[in-house]
Structure formats: C-alpha cells, structure tokens
Amino acid sequence: MNRIAILTSGSDAPGMNACIRAVVRGALYHGIEVMGIRRGYGGLIRGDIFSMTSHSVSNIIQRGGTILKSAHCPEFMTVEGRQKAYEQLMNHGIDALIVIGGNGTFEGALHFYEEFGVPIMGIPGTIDNDLFGTDYTIGYDTAVNTALKAIDRIRDTADSHERIFLIEVMGRDSGYIAVQSGIAGGAEMVVISEDPLSTQELVDTLKQGFNRSKSSSIIIVAEGETKGTAATLADQIRKQVDDKFDMRVTALGHVQRGGTPSAYDRILASRLGLGALEGLLDGTINVMVGIINNQLVYTPLREAIDRSKPIKNELLRMVNILSV
Ligand code: F6P
C-alpha cells in the first residue's frame, strides 16, 4: 500500500479534524502518501482530490467541523456514481480509502468495497453515538457538553420564573445525547424514542414534582421521539393541564454540531485515526475501527451498520430516581 485517501461524509462532528490529522501524520510516519478528498463522496466522484502534507493538518486539532468539508451524496448511492468514484481512485493511484462518518457513510463504503474491492476503513464520526462497534463516536462528548452548557443556562431562567422547559436535543433517531445531557443537567425527565413516555406519564410526574414543592422542571426531548418535536409534546401537555404550568420550549439544533472539540473527543479521534491507518497497513479492511472498554477493535462494516447499540436501562432509571 503506497497511497491512501481520506474523506469526511454526512453530518460533521467536532473532532473530525483531530482524526484527519492523526491519519495524515500516522501515514507520513509509515512512509505512506495521503490524498485528501474534499466534500465527501461527491468530491470523490468529481475528482476533488489533493495531496496532503504534515503542514496540511497543522493547527487543526482544536477546530470543530472538518477541513475536508462534508456533504450527503445521493449520487454515490447509485452504481453509476460509484463507478465514477472508482475511476477517480484509479486515476489518482489510490490503494485504499478511509472514510469518517456515520451509518450512511458506511453503507456507501460497503457497496463500494463489494463492487470494486477497494480496501475500506471506516471511522465513526457522528454526534449521535448510534454506531455499534465503539463505545463512543467522535463528536458525541463535545455535543453532550454543548447541550449541557445550554441546559444549565436554561435552568437558571426556569428557576427564576418557576417554569417548565422542554429542551430538544439532536440525535436523529438516537437518544444518547438526550440521556447523557439529561443526567448531567439534572433533568426531571428524559424523553427518547427508544423508551417513550406517554403524555399522561409526563403530566403525572410534573404534577407530583410540583406537589412536592418543585417550582421548575427541565424535560429533555430527543428530536427523534415518536410523538414529534418538543413543541408538539408541549402542546399535548398543555391540553391536559390548562394553564397550570408556565411552559417554554427550546430546540438546541445545530449549535450542538459545532465548536471546539473536548479533550475526550480529540484523544478519541487521535486514537481512532492512527488505529484506522495502522489497521489498514496490517491488511484489516472493510471494517470500522472503534474503542470498546478502552481497547481498539475492528468491526465488520455490515455489523457496524446493522447492529444497534441500545441505551442502558440503568441510565434512564437513574434519571427517575435522582430527579425526585
Ligand atoms: O447525525 C447528526 C445529526 O446532527 C442528527 O443529530 C440530526 O438529526 C441530523 O444530523 C441533522 O442533519 P442536517 O444537518 O442534515 O439537517
């Protein structure tokens, strides 16, 4: 293996830059050339490919986003798109591809491997933490901390005005950010689609809290919750309690995707980046690199995509016990 390429695809996540840096510097250490591909699979199809040096990744470890840019690419989900991408790889003499992203990124990569035999290494980069084969994904810790800072601030004003706040956090159809930020933020309730609470349960818990002299409450709602967004949930609660509670809704949105990566994410990204590179050099392909119980592991891409990583019930139980 003489020359590899790296791209970021799908939603960005804080720590992706630290990971790119680790791949590039690791490759140069092992005497391998690295090509950067801009704008994900779309950039690969168009040949938006450039040579990376140690200097290309200087001063990026602390930056959120991705210097390679990212995008969703429906064209790569077609055989014709992947054929064009393969031709670009051949034209640039690229022997293997490292992709940083989530489920959709790996799905495309897997087709690419199966059709053209291109050696692939996946690195889990998504704030959602919804990938099997790693305890944590790059960007998740930073996103939880960003959500937490907002929750703490909302708690101040919720307390002053004796209000109920429903705070919607990201996670697509995964409740990881909601549960962790809810525990850390001392939320009264956490609503996730994996373990939905009925409106009645929410109302009952709120009333019980207020009967025990709570004057404000924080409910964290994962955006993928089956009943819809926090705003919809707030409307449903209002219908059952009339004007009894003064309620507000805040959706944190994309603020959770940006910002300086936490120390944890930078270290995770560095370990996964070097682990990905060295795995490839050892001939480990068609896998996603991850860290489980502090050990580097490689999981077949198919398994990483298909298997779920359920949220531990003990975490939800803890929210209930500790928020009384
Ligand atoms: O997958 C990361 C994520 O931020 C999800 O939490 C969210 O549902 C989604 O991406 C939003 O995607 P977009 O930025 O394309 O609207």
Side-chain angles (χ1 to χ4, degrees):
M1 198 169 287
N2 297 315
R3 183 182 284 175
I4 62 159
I6 180 168
L7 59 79
T8 48
S9 159
S11 303
D12 64 351
M16 281 184 165
N17 282 329
C19 189
I20 296 166
R21 172 180 177 270
V23 169
V24 171
R25 298 249 162 108
L28 297 177
Y29 171 83
H30 285 285
I32 308 288
E33 273 185 78
V34 195
M35 307 299 281
I37 300 171
R38 292 191 193 88
R39 300 180 181 83
Y41 291 127
L44 176 56
I45 290 170
R46 292 186 299 275
D48 196 353
I49 301 172
F50 66 104
S51 177
M52 296 189 82
T53 63
S54 185
H55 185 64
S56 317
V57 292
S58 294
N59 198 25
I60 65 167
I61 196 167
Q62 78 286 8
R63 283 170 57 188
T66 160
I67 58 160
L68 292 177
K69 314 244 181 263
S70 195
H72 302 280
C73 180
E75 194 181 355
F76 194 71
M77 290 302 164
T78 66
V79 185
E80 296 73 31
R82 292 193 291 274
Q83 175 68 43
K84 287 185 203 160
Y86 179 67
E87 283 159 19
Q88 291 289 358
L89 281 188
M90 292 304 99
N91 292 342
H92 287 84
I94 293 163
D95 304 313
L97 185 59
I98 295 184
V99 296
I100 310 176
N103 246 305
T105 301
F106 296 158
E107 191 70 57
L110 189 58
H111 286 304
F112 203 37
Y113 170 80
E114 287 168 352
E115 287 160 2
F116 298 100
V118 177
I120 302 276
M121 174 65 71
I123 305 182
T126 163
I127 64 166
D128 300 342
N129 197 34
D130 57 349
L131 283 166
F132 177 84
T134 191
D135 288 339
Y136 295 105
T137 55
I138 296 169
Y140 169 62
D141 181 68
T142 306
V144 168
N145 279 292
T146 302
L148 182 59
K149 277 188 206 125
I151 293 166
D152 286 348
R153 287 170 186 184
I154 290 171
R155 181 177 279 289
D156 289 343
T157 178
D159 180 52
S160 305
H161 285 266
E162 305 190 300
R163 281 175 170 161
I164 293 169
F165 267 84
L166 278 78
I167 306 176
E168 185 179 300
V169 297
M170 271 190 165
R172 209 180 293 270
D173 45 16
S174 149
Y176 274 99
I177 297 178
V179 169
Q180 293 275 59
S181 63
I183 292 171
E188 270 64 32
M189 279 169 276
V190 174
V191 185
I192 59 173
S193 57
E194 294 94 324
D195 186 12
L197 293 172
S198 66
T199 312
Q200 193 57 55
E201 283 173 288
L202 289 168
V203 169
D204 290 347
T205 310
L206 286 172
K207 283 183 178 164
Q208 284 158 17
F210 278 74
N211 290 342
R212 284 194 313 272
S213 76
K214 262 187 198 293
S215 63
S216 65
S217 283
I218 302 280
I219 304 176
I220 307 295
V221 184
E223 62 174 352
E225 205 276 327
T226 45
K227 282 191 293 299
T229 60
T232 312
L233 198 55
D235 285 343
Q236 288 167 354
I237 295 173
R238 273 191 199 102
K239 278 187 195 136
Q240 295 205 22
V241 296
D242 301 323
D243 291 335
K244 187 170 167 54
F245 300 127
D246 190 7
M247 218 172 341
R248 293 289 186 278
V249 177
T250 304
L252 299 184
H254 286 78
V255 71
Q256 296 158 97
R257 282 250 294 272
T260 300
S262 65
Y264 185 89
D265 268 329
R266 297 182 203 193
I267 295 162
L268 175 71
S270 301
R271 287 184 74 189
L272 291 177
L274 190 58
L277 187 271
E278 294 188 333
L280 260 187
L281 296 184
D282 286 344
T284 311
I285 57 167
N286 197 23
V287 294
M288 181 197 85
V289 63
I291 293 179
I292 297 179
N293 294 332
N294 210 21
Q295 297 294 320
L296 215 56
V297 288
Y298 299 93
T299 302
L301 280 177
R302 181 40 68 205
E303 257 189 87
I305 295 165
D306 286 348
R307 294 186 61 180
S308 60
K309 185 170 69 178
I311 290 175
K312 291 191 177 8
N313 280 339
E314 71 188 69
L315 295 179
L316 288 171
R317 183 175 160 264
M318 201 159 90
V319 173
N320 296 333
I321 295 174
L322 301 188
S323 66
V324 170

